[in-house]
Amino acid sequence: MLLEAAGDRKAVPAALATSRLFVLVARLHADTPGFVPPLSAQADPAEPGRMCVTVLTSGMLPPWHPDWVFEAIGVDELVRRWPVKVRWLRVNPGTPYAVTLEAGAGRRRAWLKAHARAGGPPGGLLVTHGAGPLHGPVAHGLALGAHLAVHNGLVWNDLGAAYEGYTTDRARLRRPWGVLNRAAYRETLEALLATRLVGRTYESVLRIRRALAGRLGRTPTVAEWSAAVTAEMTRRQSTAAETAEAHEALRLAVTYEDRFRADGALGPGERVDTLAAFDYGRAVNVVRLALGARLCDPYEAEQAVLRIGALAKQAYGSWARFSLGYSLTRVMHFDEDDASGVKYEESLAQHRILTQDPDSPYRNLAW
């Protein structure tokens, strides 16, 4: 986008404001509390007397290195930290997408205005890295995390030097996952692989329906399902609160499956039998964050993605079923906070993008 805009002075600010930009930082500096290294300027090899600040865009980062990391930098921060007397910006030097842009004070003011209008890179987009895995088991595993990638407008098929940026990757592991070190990362990953975080009650209630459907040879009615849930809670000697929680899970599942049917995402005779997709999708995200945060290396990350892919294939029979499992879990989890229906609409939009876009891995990768 920046390369295309380079010849149009008016298009450059908007292209910069909506691009994900990264700067190289020594990990030692990035790990020093309160220290923000200044933006460095280097001589332009094409014109040695011309000093430039260098940034890279998504997909153009060099290979992962344990001691060198990449920090995301918005256009507003880029302008705020701009070195005095430097008048040029180099983007992706040494790549086929290299471009050098004028960056005088007037140009930088235009960048800020564009940033204020755009608010940063957009979400809700399917972004594919042309040089990333597009076929095979690794691509399949990475595609399981595509819902979150689409939600955030991030590349779905990359195991590289950064996910969202070193500091952001570490922060997202810290909250909500509570991951601060390699041991905690591995513990969280194993919990996700075992689908222990998806919601025991939610999954149990769907399992009751699945078992009942096996006995009946058809999908049970809501009344039959509800009676089976009550019987199971009685058998387990569950408390009144636990029984109420189970029936609330049933209500949410029925409510949102009906909404998905009404919107054409779920067929008339179809149902969601397991919510494991939510933990598998989040597991891919955690692996990519851990790689960006330097809590694992590329080989470990790839092996983890392969494990996730193998488990998902055991639980689901198609991309569509996986996507519905992920989407249903998300809306059930966020039901109390979604009075406006925004999260439901987001989930439906992500499902449609991934199952209908011709460029989606769900359309181009065999399950």
Side-chain angles (χ1 to χ4, degrees), residues 193-350:
L193 292 176
T195 64
R196 293 200 298 267
L197 303 182
V198 72
R200 184 181 63 179
T201 300
Y202 290 175
E203 185 69 3
S204 175
V205 166
L206 288 188
R207 192 180 299 120
I208 291 170
R209 180 175 63 175
R210 185 169 71 245
L212 180 58
R215 294 197 298 271
L216 297 175
R218 58 172 173 81
T219 297
T221 65
V222 175
E224 289 170 333
W225 185 14
S226 180
V229 168
T230 298
E232 180 63 17
M233 293 299 104
T234 301
R235 187 190 68 79
R236 295 179 188 175
Q237 298 182 330
S238 303
T239 65
E242 290 169 337
T243 301
E245 182 183 5
H247 280 283
E248 174 62 8
L250 184 153
R251 184 192 70 80
L252 289 172
V254 169
T255 297
Y256 285 111
E257 281 186 336
D258 283 347
R259 289 188 69 175
F260 282 129
R261 285 192 191 93
D263 287 318
L266 189 63
E270 295 178 341
R271 63 178 188 267
V272 176
D273 279 340
T274 175
L275 305 177
F278 198 58
D279 275 1
Y280 295 148
R282 292 188 298 170
V284 173
N285 188 60
V286 166
V287 170
R288 295 184 67 187
L289 289 170
L291 182 62
R294 303 311 189 258
L295 296 183
C296 67
D297 62 35
Y299 176 78
E300 292 174 288
E302 182 174 298
Q303 293 305 302
V305 166
L306 291 174
R307 286 181 65 195
I308 299 165
L311 290 169
K313 285 184 177 181
Q314 294 174 14
Y316 295 94
S318 69
W319 283 115
R321 290 190 175 279
F322 172 85
S323 183
L324 284 167
Y326 184 97
S327 301
L328 178 61
T329 318
R330 184 173 187 265
V331 293
M332 288 175 69
H333 271 281
F334 286 116
D335 176 73
E336 290 184 2
D337 304 321
D338 196 26
S340 65
V342 171
K343 287 187 170 61
Y344 172 79
E345 294 299 332
E346 287 177 347
S347 297
L348 179 62
Q350 291 161 20

Side-chain angles (χ1 to χ4, degrees), residues 6-365:
D8 184 346
R9 178 173 175 175
K10 293 182 179 179
V12 167
L16 274 175
T18 55
S19 296
R20 294 188 182 277
L21 306 176
F22 297 86
V23 291
L24 176 68
V25 178
R27 185 178 171 189
L28 176 65
H29 291 163
D31 286 341
T32 302
F35 178 68
V36 179
L39 290 176
S40 59
Q42 300 86 28
D44 186 343
E47 294 188 32
R50 187 165 71 183
M51 300 300 290
C52 307
V53 168
T54 298
V55 297
L56 299 170
T57 60
S58 296
M60 293 293 105
L61 304 185
W64 185 95
H65 190 284
D67 299 321
W68 291 93
V69 299
F70 290 88
E71 293 283 24
I73 185 166
V75 169
D76 55 339
E77 185 181 358
L78 184 68
V79 172
R80 186 169 58 251
R81 292 170 52 190
W82 194 265
V84 177
K85 297 183 180 180
V86 176
R87 297 291 181 269
W88 296 90
L89 174 69
R90 285 197 307 166
V91 183
N92 298 327
T95 76
Y97 305 97
V99 61
T100 301
L101 303 171
E102 291 185 55
R107 300 294 177 90
R108 298 199 302 273
R109 284 194 294 271
W111 299 354
L112 281 177
K113 290 178 181 178
H115 174 79
R117 288 192 297 269
L125 298 176
L126 174 66
V127 184
T128 301
H129 181 11
L134 295 172
H135 306 284
V138 174
H140 182 280
L142 287 172
L144 299 172
H147 288 83
L148 274 166
V150 168
H151 179 72
N152 294 306
L154 299 167
V155 171
W156 68 267
N157 64 328
D158 185 36
L159 278 177
Y163 187 25
E164 294 188 64
Y166 180 70
T167 296
T168 303
D169 292 346
R170 291 175 66 86
R172 290 196 183 278
L173 284 173
R174 187 166 55 249
R175 184 177 180 184
W177 297 108
V179 169
L180 300 175
N181 51 49
R182 289 171 64 90
Y185 155 63
R186 288 170 177 164
E187 181 179 334
T188 298
L189 178 60
E190 292 303 321
L192 287 165
L193 292 176
T195 64
R196 293 200 298 267
L197 303 182
V198 72
R200 184 181 63 179
T201 300
Y202 290 175
E203 185 69 3
S204 175
V205 166
L206 288 188
R207 192 180 299 120
I208 291 170
R209 180 175 63 175
R210 185 169 71 245
L212 180 58
R215 294 197 298 271
L216 297 175
R218 58 172 173 81
T219 297
T221 65
V222 175
E224 289 170 333
W225 185 14
S226 180
V229 168
T230 298
E232 180 63 17
M233 293 299 104
T234 301
R235 187 190 68 79
R236 295 179 188 175
Q237 298 182 330
S238 303
T239 65
E242 290 169 337
T243 301
E245 182 183 5
H247 280 283
E248 174 62 8
L250 184 153
R251 184 192 70 80
L252 289 172
V254 169
T255 297
Y256 285 111
E257 281 186 336
D258 283 347
R259 289 188 69 175
F260 282 129
R261 285 192 191 93
D263 287 318
L266 189 63
E270 295 178 341
R271 63 178 188 267
V272 176
D273 279 340
T274 175
L275 305 177
F278 198 58
D279 275 1
Y280 295 148
R282 292 188 298 170
V284 173
N285 188 60
V286 166
V287 170
R288 295 184 67 187
L289 289 170
L291 182 62
R294 303 311 189 258
L295 296 183
C296 67
D297 62 35
Y299 176 78
E300 292 174 288
E302 182 174 298
Q303 293 305 302
V305 166
L306 291 174
R307 286 181 65 195
I308 299 165
L311 290 169
K313 285 184 177 181
Q314 294 174 14
Y316 295 94
S318 69
W319 283 115
R321 290 190 175 279
F322 172 85
S323 183
L324 284 167
Y326 184 97
S327 301
L328 178 61
T329 318
R330 184 173 187 265
V331 293
M332 288 175 69
H333 271 281
F334 286 116
D335 176 73
E336 290 184 2
D337 304 321
D338 196 26
S340 65
V342 171
K343 287 187 170 61
Y344 172 79
E345 294 299 332
E346 287 177 347
S347 297
L348 179 62
Q350 291 161 20
H351 173 74
R352 284 174 169 164
I353 289 170
L354 288 167
T355 56
Q356 297 177 14
D357 190 310
D359 294 325
S360 168
Y362 293 13
R363 298 290 301 274
N364 293 289
L365 282 168

